[in-house]
Amino acid sequence: MPVTEVARLFAGFEAPWWIAGGYAIELALGRPIREHDDIDVLLLRRDHVAVQEVLAGWELWAADPPGSLRPWLPGESLPFGIHDIWCRRGNGPWQLQLMIDESSTTDWISRRDPRLRRPLPTLGALDTRGIPYLAPEVQLFYKSQAPRPKDWTDFTAALPILTEAQRHWLTAALPADHPWKPHLT
């Protein structure tokens, strides 16, 4: 599913949302860097039930930890601990993965470390077409937990465009012994 189609799909969604995953890095770069299996969209938990209207007619499956999928029922508020919703039209391949994050009234709160916060207006940016995407340093933080080859590809591609402030934020968010830290200084 192209990013532009996701943007059209979410155009009527009244709450904040951001393209996430590898596509967020590509939107920040302004160019493609690799192949993708699906497209990720980040939502705030406070808004996640409303997305069912945007995706009316889609199959929506909640990913219950530690990794079993179950139908996400209409109007069901998913509890903390469930952060992923897999979406597809009919019985075809999965097309969207919705990622749910925590927030306060004004701040994004990391689900991995609730001490890690940032003001919601700084969580993302808009590309030249007005498509919202997750800030590259935040996306790289998500990819940092157990970096796969594609995460290293995204990190290496994004590194030259990270500002000093973005590098500082990511450096502070990563564990002391993380292999990306030497590249950020």
Side-chain angles (χ1 to χ4, degrees), residues 44-116:
L44 302 175
R45 184 168 306 279
R46 67 184 186 203
D47 306 316
H48 79 281
V49 175
V51 81
Q52 289 181 334
E53 290 179 30
V54 170
L55 298 174
W58 286 58
E59 279 192 34
L60 307 175
W61 293 71
D64 284 337
S68 63
L69 291 176
R70 66 165 176 86
W72 182 29
L73 302 175
E76 177 186 6
S77 182
L78 298 172
F80 182 83
I82 298 177
H83 301 287
D84 295 300
I85 303 162
W86 293 47
C87 312
R88 65 183 174 191
R89 292 182 181 131
N91 290 325
W94 300 112
Q95 294 176 288
L96 286 175
Q97 181 178 351
L98 303 180
M99 301 180 332
I100 304 170
D101 258 3
E102 309 309 320
S103 65
S104 69
T105 305
T106 58
D107 293 338
W108 164 82
I109 303 168
S110 169
R111 64 179 180 245
R112 291 188 189 154
D113 180 354
R115 296 171 298 174
L116 188 58

Side-chain angles (χ1 to χ4, degrees), residues 19-26 34 36 40 99 134 139 143 154:
I19 297 291
Y23 279 112
I25 301 299
E26 291 182 355
R34 64 176 176 83
H36 302 274
D40 303 327
M99 301 180 332
L134 193 57
Q139 183 57 63
K143 291 175 159 288
D154 292 347

